[in-house]
């Protein structure tokens, strides 16, 4: 009888010990969650030994997730803090994220010049300084580069996501794509809501002075010829055709709105590519362009419906620039229409 009680007591003691150990072990080890999005499946992992509650001001830097990029799966920080990018400054700023480094050309973008203080230059587009990138100690690099050697160099410094130029064809897809990448989809939708409201206001303004059948072209003048542009190659293309929804010529749709977005046009045939209105990109050396006899014979020129765009301002084609350009173009069109009525 005593021996039985003793064995029973021992069993109770062992059971209590097991329960205590089980309770302790539930707070250790690792956790993993999976989230499926348009960009693919993202897996988030965290070790409780190295990550703690962020509300207490602790470090969460070891938490990572898998991002499915076009070039393959990349393990990136769940909440990157030190981002270096070459050209995608606008997309990050739109989501409330300030990178620590970027290419100088994109830091000079006039449409978000008031937001880049504190972002370090990593060189120019043709020659990024890897030494500067290393010195910034990034935890994530986002690049549009298609140069294998450059991408390899980036990958040796930090996790690298490659988003090739032209991946996105409109502002909504681009901002939502970066919302997925940065795990900030709510911020992306909030920015797009404001964007849509501002663009709708600009469209409404234009509709008061432009008939639906009036056509618009985007040209650039050079020393010996012109260049024509489509809807996704800068020079205001996205703002004109996508944001403001102004009508292109049939030849523009056929030749410049697919995989090919630009074309050199000889002076003799520029009339084939000239709509009722022309947005003409110029440089400092050819402002107030007068052109030759063929140029002067174009209806847009005769009707004072050519709008000059300085290249340094309108080469940019990021979401913030497109928003600003659309509003500026709307003002240009309305102002010119009022001038022409006088």
């Amino acid at each position: 009888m005593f021996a039985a009680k003793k064995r029973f007591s021992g069993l109770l003691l062992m059971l209590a010990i097991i329960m205590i150990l089980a309770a302790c072990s539930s707070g250790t080890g690792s956790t993993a969650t999976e989230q499926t999005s348009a960009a693919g499946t993202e897996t988030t992992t965290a070790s409780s030994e190295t990550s703690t509650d962020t509300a207490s001001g602790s470090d969460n830097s070891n938490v990572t997730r898998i991002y499915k990029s076009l070039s393959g799966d990349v393990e990136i920080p769940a909440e990157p803090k030190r981002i270096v990018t070459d050209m995608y400054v606008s997309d990050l700023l739109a989501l409330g994220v300030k990178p620590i480094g970027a290419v100088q050309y994109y830091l000079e973008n006039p449409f978000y010049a008031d937001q880049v203080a504190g972002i370090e230059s990593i060189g120019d587009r043709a020659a990024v300084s890897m030494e500067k990138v290393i010195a910034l100690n990034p935890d994530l690099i986002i690049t549009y580069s298609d140069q294998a050697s450059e991408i390899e160099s980036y990958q040796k410094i930090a996790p690298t996501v490659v988003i090739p130029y032209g991946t996105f064809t409109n502002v909504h897809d681009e901002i939502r794509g970066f919302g997925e990448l940065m795990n900030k989809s709510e911020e992306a939708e909030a920015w797009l809501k404001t964007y849509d409201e501002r663009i709708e206001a600009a469209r409404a303004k234009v509709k008061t002075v432009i008939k639906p059948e009036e056509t618009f072209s985007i040209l650039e003048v050079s020393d010996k010829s012109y260049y024509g542009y489509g809807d996704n190659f800068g020079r205001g293309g996205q703002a004109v055709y996508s944001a403001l929804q102004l009508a292109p010529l049939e030849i523009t749709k056929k030749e410049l709105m697919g995989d090919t977005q630009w074309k050199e046009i000889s002076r003799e045939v520029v009339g084939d590519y000239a709509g009722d209105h022309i947005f003409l990109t110029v440089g400092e050396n050819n402002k107030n362009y007068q052109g030759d006899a063929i140029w002067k014979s174009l209806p847009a020129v005769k009707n004072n419906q050519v709008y000059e765009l300085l290249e340094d301002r309108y080469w940019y084609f990021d979401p913030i620039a497109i928003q600003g350009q659309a509003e500026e173009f709307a003002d240009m069109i309305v102002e010119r229409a009022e001038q022409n009525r006088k």
Side-chain angles (χ1 to χ4, degrees), residues 319-336:
I320 294 177
I322 291 166
Q323 177 177 263
Q325 289 168 3
E327 292 174 329
E328 290 182 1
F329 293 163
D331 289 340
M332 287 180 193
I333 293 167
V334 171
E335 182 180 346
R336 188 64 59 84

Side-chain angles (χ1 to χ4, degrees), residues 240-287:
V240 171
Y241 298 123
S242 298
L244 295 178
Q245 297 179 345
L246 298 170
L249 292 165
E250 286 300 319
I251 195 170
T252 301
K253 288 194 284 187
K254 180 180 178 182
E255 296 185 6
L256 300 172
M257 287 191 171
D259 293 336
T260 300
Q261 285 282 323
W262 66 275
K263 176 181 180 178
E264 186 173 9
I265 301 166
S266 69
R267 292 183 181 271
E268 290 74 22
V269 299
V270 68
D272 295 342
Y273 297 84
D276 299 312
H277 301 256
I278 298 172
F279 285 101
L280 181 69
T281 301
V282 297
E284 287 295 334
N285 63 332
N286 53 21
K287 286 194 298 185

